[in-house]
C-alpha cells in the first residue's frame, strides 16, 4: 500500500478549499475521494493487459462538482432518487419538499449533500472517513441527521469498500464498467442517532454493487 496523498482540489464559491485524497494499493488500483461532498472522484484499475484505466466519471476539481448537475460521483442525500409530488409523510406529518424535477423532489433538492464540505475525522494510507452534520432544519425536513462516509482500499488485489450513510451514489462509467473484472464496491448504512430524533437508527445493512 502506498502512502496516502493529499492535495488541493480547487476552491468553492464560498471560498472553501477542498482536498483530494488518493489511495493506491500494490495491485495498481487507485481510489480518489474528496471532502467536497465526500465525493468518489476517480477509480483506476488495471485492465487485462495491465494498463491503468479510469472506470468512473469525474471532474478535474471541486468547481466542476459544485457547478455540475449530473450528481457524478455523488453521495446523495438526504433522500436518493425522486419523491413523487415533492411531499413525504413522517409520523402523520406532511413535509413539503422543494420541487426541482417537475413536480417531484430529486436527490433532496437544494443544499444537497454532494455540494457541502464534509469534515475529515480520520484517515490513513488505506482509508478516509468523512462526517457531515445535517442540522435540525435542513432541506425542509425538521430532524437532525449525521451521515458518515468511510472509504477503504484493500492492500491486496480485490475490492475497494465504501461504507456510507446514504443509498445514493453515481460513480459508474457504464462504458467501461466491464473493465472492473470482479472489483466490488460495497455500501453500508451508518447513521448516528441524535437525541430526541423521531427517526429510528437502522442497523448497518449491506447494499451496493456486486461483481460483474
Amino acid at each position: 500500500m502506498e502512502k496516502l496523498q493529499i492535495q488541493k482540489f480547487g476552491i468553492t464559491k464560498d471560498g472553501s478549499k477542498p482536498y483530494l485524497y488518493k489511495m493506491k494499493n500494490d495491485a495498481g488500483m487507485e481510489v480518489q475521494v474528496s471532502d467536497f461532498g465526500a465525493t468518489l472522484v476517480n477509480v483506476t484499475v488495471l485492465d487485462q493487459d495491465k494498463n491503468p484505466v479510469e472506470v468512473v466519471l469525474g471532474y478535474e476539481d471541486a468547481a466542476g462538482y459544485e457547478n455540475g448537475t449530473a450528481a457524478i460521483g455523488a453521495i446523495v442525500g438526504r433522500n436518493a432518487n425522486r419523491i413523487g409530488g415533492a411531499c413525504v409523510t413522517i409520523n402523520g406529518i406532511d413535509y413539503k419538499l422543494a420541487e426541482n424535477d417537475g413536480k417531484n423532489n430529486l436527490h433532496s433538492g437544494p443544499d444537497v449533500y454532494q455540494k457541502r464540505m464534509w469534515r475529515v475525522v480520520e484517515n490513513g494510507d488505506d482509508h478516509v472517513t468523512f462526517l457531515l452534520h445535517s442540522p435540525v432544519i435542513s432541506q425542509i425536513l425538521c430532524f437532525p441527521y449525521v451521515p458518515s462516509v468511510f472509504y477503504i482500499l484493500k492492500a491486496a488485489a480485490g475490492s475497494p469498500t465504501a461504507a456510507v450513510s446514504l443509498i445514493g451514489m453515481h460513480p459508474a462509467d457504464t462504458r467501461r464498467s466491464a473493465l472492473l473484472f470482479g472489483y466490488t464496491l460495497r455500501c453500508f448504512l451508518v447513521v448516528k442517532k441524535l437525541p430526541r430524533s423521531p427517526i429510528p437508527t437502522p442497523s448497518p445493512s449491506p447494499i451496493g454493487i456486486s461483481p460483474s
Side-chain angles (χ1 to χ4, degrees), residues 36-51:
F36 183 74
T39 302
L40 179 63
V41 175
N42 192 18
V43 176
T44 301
V45 298
L46 301 182
D47 66 13
Q48 65 269 37
D49 297 318
K50 303 301 181 182
N51 298 313

Side-chain angles (χ1 to χ4, degrees), residues 42-43 53-58 72-73 170-180 209:
N42 192 18
V43 176
V53 180
E54 296 181 359
V55 295
V56 300
L57 298 173
I72 292 176
H170 280 224
D173 181 345
T174 55
R175 296 167 300 175
R176 297 179 176 178
S177 60
L179 295 174
L180 284 171
I209 305 170

Side-chain angles (χ1 to χ4, degrees), residues 6-163:
I6 304 174
Q7 65 186 53
K8 294 180 180 179
F9 198 49
I11 188 169
T12 63
K13 294 175 182 178
D14 67 359
S16 298
K17 297 179 179 179
Y19 284 87
L20 186 69
Y21 298 79
K22 296 183 179 181
M23 299 171 282
K24 187 173 183 179
N25 66 16
D26 296 334
M29 183 176 186
E30 181 177 275
V31 174
Q32 301 179 16
V33 296
S34 175
D35 51 3
F36 183 74
T39 302
L40 179 63
V41 175
N42 192 18
V43 176
T44 301
V45 298
L46 301 182
D47 66 13
Q48 65 269 37
D49 297 318
K50 303 301 181 182
N51 298 313
V53 180
E54 296 181 359
V55 295
V56 300
L57 298 173
Y59 294 104
E60 296 297 323
D61 56 22
Y65 291 96
E66 185 174 26
N67 297 321
T69 59
I72 292 176
I75 297 295
V76 180
R78 296 183 180 194
N79 62 278
N81 217 321
R82 292 167 178 81
I83 293 180
C87 185
V88 61
T89 301
I90 301 175
N91 293 335
I93 301 174
D94 290 337
Y95 293 90
K96 183 62 178 175
L97 309 178
E99 296 180 1
N100 65 321
D101 183 63
K103 294 295 184 179
N104 304 314
N105 175 273
L106 176 62
H107 297 333
S108 303
D111 197 24
V112 289
Y113 286 176
Q114 70 262 30
K115 296 185 186 295
R116 299 191 203 179
M117 286 294 302
W118 292 56
R119 184 163 57 95
V120 177
V121 294
E122 209 271 333
N123 67 73
D125 292 341
D126 64 345
H127 66 278
V128 182
T129 302
F130 300 110
L131 186 72
L132 177 69
H133 181 263
S134 189
V136 173
I137 301 178
S138 176
Q139 299 166 328
I140 312 178
L141 295 177
C142 299
F143 50 85
Y145 188 58
V146 181
S148 61
V149 178
F150 175 63
Y151 291 101
I152 181 169
L153 178 62
K154 294 184 178 180
S159 58
T161 301

Side-chain angles (χ1 to χ4, degrees), residues 184-205:
T184 304
L185 179 63
R186 298 189 183 96
C187 301
F188 297 86
L189 299 178
V190 182
V191 179
K192 180 179 179 182
K193 187 176 181 181
L194 294 181
R196 293 178 293 181
S197 172
I199 304 300
T201 303
S203 300
S205 57

